[in-house]
Amino acid sequence: MQANCISHGNLPFLFQGGIFFALLLLATVFDIRKRMIPDTVCLLIAMAGLIGFESVKLFGILTALPLLLAALLWGGMGGGDIKLTAASGIVLGFQRGLAAMVIGLTALLLFYFFYSIVQRLRKRERQKAFPLAPFLSVGCIAAYFMNGGIIL
C-alpha cells in the first residue's frame, strides 16, 4: 500500500515545478503588462529543465514549431510566445509539451468564446489580440503534473 505523502524521490520534481511555476507566472505578468516576454525568463525556464535532466526532453523544443510556422505564415504572434513554448518544452518533453500547447490554446479559445459573448451583450467592440503567455502557462502547469508525477 502506498503512503499518502511526498516521497524524497519527488523533491527534484517539486523544486523544478516551483521554479517553473514562478517563471511562468513572471512571463504571464510581463506579457499582460508589456506584451512581451523577456528572453531572460525563457532562458531561466530552459535552465530549469536541467533539474533532473533527461536528454529525451530536449525534443520538447520541437513543440514550438507549430507556433513558429503560424507566425511565419500568418503573423500576429510574437517571438516571445515561441521562445516560451520552446523553453517549456525542455522542461516538459515533447509529449507533455504538445499537451501543454493544446490545453493552453483550448483555454484561449474558451476564454475568447465567452469574452465575445459578453462583449456582444454589452454591445462593445471586441479586442482582437490577447497575450498568449497566460494561456500557455496554464497549459504548461497542467501538463507538468500530468502522468502521475507527484504522490500526495
Side-chain angles (χ1 to χ4, degrees):
M1 182 175 215
Q2 254 182 343
N4 279 344
C5 64
I6 298 173
S7 70
H8 291 292
N10 284 331
L11 289 179
F13 178 82
L14 289 172
F15 181 66
Q16 181 188 53
I19 291 171
F20 189 42
F21 179 82
L23 291 169
L24 289 170
L25 182 61
L26 187 60
T28 294
V29 169
F30 266 100
D31 203 21
I32 289 171
R33 289 188 178 172
K34 300 189 182 220
R35 295 293 174 113
M36 57 92 60
I37 302 166
D39 291 342
T40 308
V41 173
C42 295
L43 181 61
L44 290 171
I45 288 173
M47 290 174 64
L50 298 176
I51 300 169
F53 179 73
E54 297 172 21
S55 60
V56 72
K57 287 191 175 182
L58 287 175
F59 288 108
I61 293 172
L62 299 175
T63 59
L65 281 179
L67 296 181
L68 177 62
L69 289 173
L72 292 173
L73 295 174
W74 299 289
M77 183 178 315
D81 299 320
I82 297 164
K83 290 182 261 187
L84 177 66
T85 302
S88 297
I90 294 172
V91 174
L92 298 170
F94 185 74
Q95 289 181 339
R96 288 193 299 166
L98 282 180
M101 196 166 39
V102 168
I103 293 166
L105 294 176
T106 301
L108 172 62
L109 288 173
L110 289 171
F111 171 82
Y112 189 75
F113 174 75
F114 289 110
Y115 167 81
S116 295
I117 290 171
V118 169
Q119 292 303 90
R120 188 175 297 151
L121 291 173
R122 291 181 174 177
K123 297 182 181 178
R124 293 187 182 165
E125 190 174 328
R126 285 178 270 174
Q127 185 176 328
K128 295 187 192 250
F130 290 93
L132 191 53
F135 302 101
L136 291 175
S137 295
V138 165
C140 287
I141 292 165
Y144 189 78
F145 291 103
M146 288 172 90
N147 299 328
I150 208 170
I151 301 169
L152 294 176

